[in-house]
Amino acid sequence: MKKYILKYKGWLATTVLFRCIGALMQVFIAILIQNILDTAINKDFEGFKKAIIFSSIFFIVMTFNNYINQTSQFIYMKKTLTKFKEDVFRGVLRKDYKSFNDENTAEYISNLTNDINLVQGQYITPYLEMIGDVVIFVGTTAVLLWINPWITLVMFATSILLFIIPVIFGTPISKRQGLVSDELSKFTTKIKDIFSGYEVIKSYNIEDSMTEEFLTCNNQVEHLKLRSNHIQGISASVSMLLGIMTQVSAIALGGYFLMTGKLTVGSLFAVVQLGNGLFGPIMFIVTKVTMIKGMKEVNSKLLKIINEGNIESDKKSLKEFNENIKLENISFTYNDEIQALDNVSISFSKNKKYAIVGRSGSGKSTILRLLLGYYDNFEGSISFDGQDTKEICKDSINKQISIIHQNVYMFDESIKKNILLGKEFSKDELKKALQVSGVEEFLNILPDGVDSQIGENGSNLSGGQKQRVAIARSLIQNTPILLLDEGTSALDTKTAYEIEDTLLRLDDLTVLTVTHKLSQSLLSRYDEIIVMDKGKVVEMGSFSELVNTKGEFYNLYSIESEDNLNEEVAN
Ligand SMILES: Nc1ncnc2c1ncn2[C@@H]1O[C@H](COP(=O)(O)OP(=O)(O)OP(=O)(O)O)[C@@H](O)[C@H]1O
């Protein structure tokens, strides 16, 4: 965390410098008061006038100093928190598929909002304020020693008690603060989940039960916040009590010295004023140290995200794809429970077209996920042109592959931005992608054509239109390998046929399609059909070979053909 605090040294130094000057000026106020009072009591008009003029100028300078200090602190804070947030954000994006999905996305939102706010309010700000407190403390001690060493000694003796507070309260506050942060994540997750399920809530009239769930979560957060605030309150109250004891003992001793003529009235006022300068900073330092200690769990949670991101700089990169992809004896289990693939060996040659078919849950999509490097914990090996994927960095593999999913996510932006995804492509490339994907066909009914906003997750588009945008998004990447995971399932039969037909005609494209649509007209055009069952490859071959074998594919195909026939009869 220190790395972030020291990142913007220039602004930090400016803030610290002006804070220190401000702190010293604050201490100096006691001397001004002493001077004004003593000149007044001694009826020294000339001295009194000078003291008033000097004090007035002093306060103007102090205000100006305070303004510079505040401004530089805001700038320092803005820069530091922006960098910190950026690193947490990058850390989240660097996570691999598995560890990203281990957490709910709302947790990350909470990390970037609630937790960062805590870092600002309970870690960095107290650190900065403490610097001023320390200077006030040192300056006050020096002036107090100059006025009267005995009073200083008594004040010190009583205030030492204050330092035991972080020792007693630091750990319980940290634990409670950690619980609040965890509960805030759950709370954000719950709200996100409820709002995402808005349609279900409305259609099933479950507003009341959802409100109930919201209230339970909300109450739990507030309860934990209260527990955390409660212990912080106890800590602050004990600090205050000990602080007041310090001050009262100083005033009592000062009064005694006044009566015995060893102290002037002005000096006694200065001692009272300085008592604040001693007791205040000690109390603030104690509270802030306790606060900073309390942030340990939240900080380490955020730093873990920043540091654990997968950096694969030592791995080779796959520059191009020229020959084949080989899966050899692949077995894979999700969460050590469900065996999704069982000793699968397949070879996909460059520019050939493959269809992967099989019953639901037979492991088809899992093959695509492993090719995309979502998971590493499989047995066997996957290689691109003979290079083992475990030795190649995932980014370089992903540059060779595009995927079109069944349910693809759309950003709340225009169609164009959803296709380009922030990368540079020529007008012709965009035009071609719009044509092949069929997006072009519905652009004229949209208000702003390709620049039309499509709403949250494409809510302004139909399922089929969304899928066409997804297809355009993949095609424009112009990668040598294209994966389709039910990539045309939301389209009407004619459009789906046209798009798949176009893709099958592209000679320099390797296509792997996971499909449930067993249409002879399309499947017969694939070079090879891979039939999966319970995680195993049970058959491989061309359409006619598989139909003639009369095995698993034939069974699936017959059921599908019968369904189609029944549908036609019903219509
Ligand atoms: N993220 C996951 N976590 C745990 N289990 C999973 C996960 N994804 C898939 N599975 C399980 O792995 C098995 C294979 O799933 P997969 O998605 O590969 O099947 P599929 O053949 O593509 O199915 P479908 O045709 O229904 O899409 C299934 O039993 C499924 O329940």
Side-chain angles (χ1 to χ4, degrees), residues 100-119:
F100 180 83
N101 284 302
D102 282 347
E103 306 280 352
N104 190 300
T105 46
E107 292 242 0
Y108 302 126
I109 298 173
S110 182
N111 293 146
L112 282 161
T113 51
N114 302 325
D115 290 346
I116 299 271
N117 286 345
L118 281 177
V119 170

Side-chain angles (χ1 to χ4, degrees), residues 51-66:
I52 294 291
I53 293 171
F54 183 79
S55 302
S56 307
I57 297 169
F58 179 86
F59 286 121
I60 292 170
V61 176
M62 197 172 164
T63 310
F64 185 66
N65 179 80
N66 190 43

Side-chain angles (χ1 to χ4, degrees), residues 28 45 105 148 166 213 256 259 374 403 462 502 508 549 554:
F28 198 70
F45 284 101
T105 46
N148 189 310
E213 283 192 28
Y256 170 76
M259 287 187 286
Y374 286 2
I403 179 149
S462 73
T502 314
D508 52 356
T549 311
Y554 181 79

Side-chain angles (χ1 to χ4, degrees), residues 382-495:
I382 301 177
S383 61
F384 283 73
D385 290 352
Q387 291 190 68
D388 196 311
T389 50
K390 288 187 179 163
E391 286 158 18
I392 319 173
C393 80
K394 283 184 194 127
D395 279 0
S396 73
I397 297 179
N398 289 340
K399 280 189 185 136
Q400 305 296 327
I401 307 180
S402 302
I403 179 149
I404 305 169
H405 289 288
Q406 184 176 13
N407 295 315
V408 72
Y409 190 78
M410 292 286 137
F411 297 101
D412 191 357
E413 295 279 358
S414 66
I415 293 189
K416 190 171 163 187
K417 282 196 171 172
N418 266 288
I419 294 173
L420 302 182
L421 294 179
K423 297 184 187 170
E424 293 284 325
F425 293 102
S426 69
K427 275 190 182 159
D428 285 345
E429 284 172 312
L430 177 63
K431 197 165 171 235
K432 191 175 162 207
L434 293 173
Q435 252 171 9
V436 177
S437 61
V439 171
E440 206 181 45
E441 285 168 30
F442 63 88
L443 284 182
N444 56 352
I445 55 166
L446 297 174
D448 298 312
V450 79
D451 292 312
S452 305
Q453 292 293 318
I454 59 172
E456 189 179 349
N457 195 12
S459 58
N460 302 344
L461 298 181
S462 73
Q465 289 170 336
K466 259 170 80 174
Q467 205 160 48
R468 287 191 233 185
V469 175
I471 292 169
R473 178 192 276 176
S474 297
L475 290 179
I476 204 166
Q477 305 297 322
N478 206 13
T479 57
I481 305 163
L482 179 68
L483 312 181
L484 286 108
D485 193 354
E486 305 273 342
T488 56
S489 60
L491 302 176
D492 60 90
T493 317
K494 184 171 166 283
T495 316

Side-chain angles (χ1 to χ4, degrees), residues 212-429:
E212 203 56 46
E213 283 192 28
F214 169 82
L215 289 179
T216 312
C217 257
N218 193 23
N219 286 342
Q220 182 62 4
V221 174
E222 293 307 324
H223 170 70
L224 289 176
K225 269 197 205 161
L226 182 68
R227 268 167 49 94
S228 172
N229 288 341
H230 180 224
I231 195 154
Q232 291 195 40
I234 296 175
S235 159
S237 305
V238 175
S239 310
M240 203 173 90
L241 176 70
L242 294 175
I244 290 170
M245 277 167 55
T246 312
Q247 222 175 2
V248 169
S249 47
I251 294 171
L253 197 65
Y256 170 76
F257 284 129
L258 184 71
M259 287 187 286
T260 54
K262 289 186 181 139
L263 212 64
T264 63
V265 176
S267 301
L268 181 60
F269 267 89
V271 167
V272 174
Q273 169 72 16
L274 289 169
N276 289 329
L278 195 69
F279 143 75
I282 294 180
M283 202 180 79
F284 293 143
I285 290 169
V286 166
T287 314
K288 280 161 197 161
V289 169
T290 319
M291 216 181 240
I292 288 169
K293 279 184 89 178
M295 282 298 290
K296 206 170 144 203
E297 297 209 3
V298 177
N299 286 350
S300 49
K301 189 161 77 175
L302 295 176
L303 290 174
K304 192 168 163 240
I305 296 178
I306 294 175
N307 297 326
E308 81 180 347
N310 235 357
I311 301 164
E312 301 184 300
S313 50
D314 53 332
K315 292 193 175 174
K316 282 185 273 178
S317 59
L318 183 71
K319 300 246 161 42
E320 44 190 24
F321 172 62
N322 291 320
E323 291 166 28
N324 56 27
I325 307 168
K326 275 192 180 159
L327 280 81
E328 288 171 283
N329 310 107
I330 297 292
S331 294
F332 175 69
T333 308
Y334 284 103
N335 308 330
D336 300 327
E337 279 166 18
I338 304 158
Q339 172 138 37
L341 294 178
D342 183 4
N343 203 22
V344 169
S345 295
I346 320 171
S347 176
F348 302 108
S349 300
K350 184 176 164 78
N351 295 342
K352 293 212 165 166
K353 319 289 186 250
Y354 298 87
I356 308 176
V357 301
R359 289 169 208 268
S360 185
S362 56
K364 304 180 294 292
S365 304
T366 305
I367 292 185
L368 303 191
R369 286 184 205 126
L370 293 191
L371 289 179
L372 287 162
Y374 286 2
Y375 300 93
D376 278 339
N377 53 329
F378 53 83
E379 284 172 35
S381 74
I382 301 177
S383 61
F384 283 73
D385 290 352
Q387 291 190 68
D388 196 311
T389 50
K390 288 187 179 163
E391 286 158 18
I392 319 173
C393 80
K394 283 184 194 127
D395 279 0
S396 73
I397 297 179
N398 289 340
K399 280 189 185 136
Q400 305 296 327
I401 307 180
S402 302
I403 179 149
I404 305 169
H405 289 288
Q406 184 176 13
N407 295 315
V408 72
Y409 190 78
M410 292 286 137
F411 297 101
D412 191 357
E413 295 279 358
S414 66
I415 293 189
K416 190 171 163 187
K417 282 196 171 172
N418 266 288
I419 294 173
L420 302 182
L421 294 179
K423 297 184 187 170
E424 293 284 325
F425 293 102
S426 69
K427 275 190 182 159
D428 285 345
E429 284 172 312

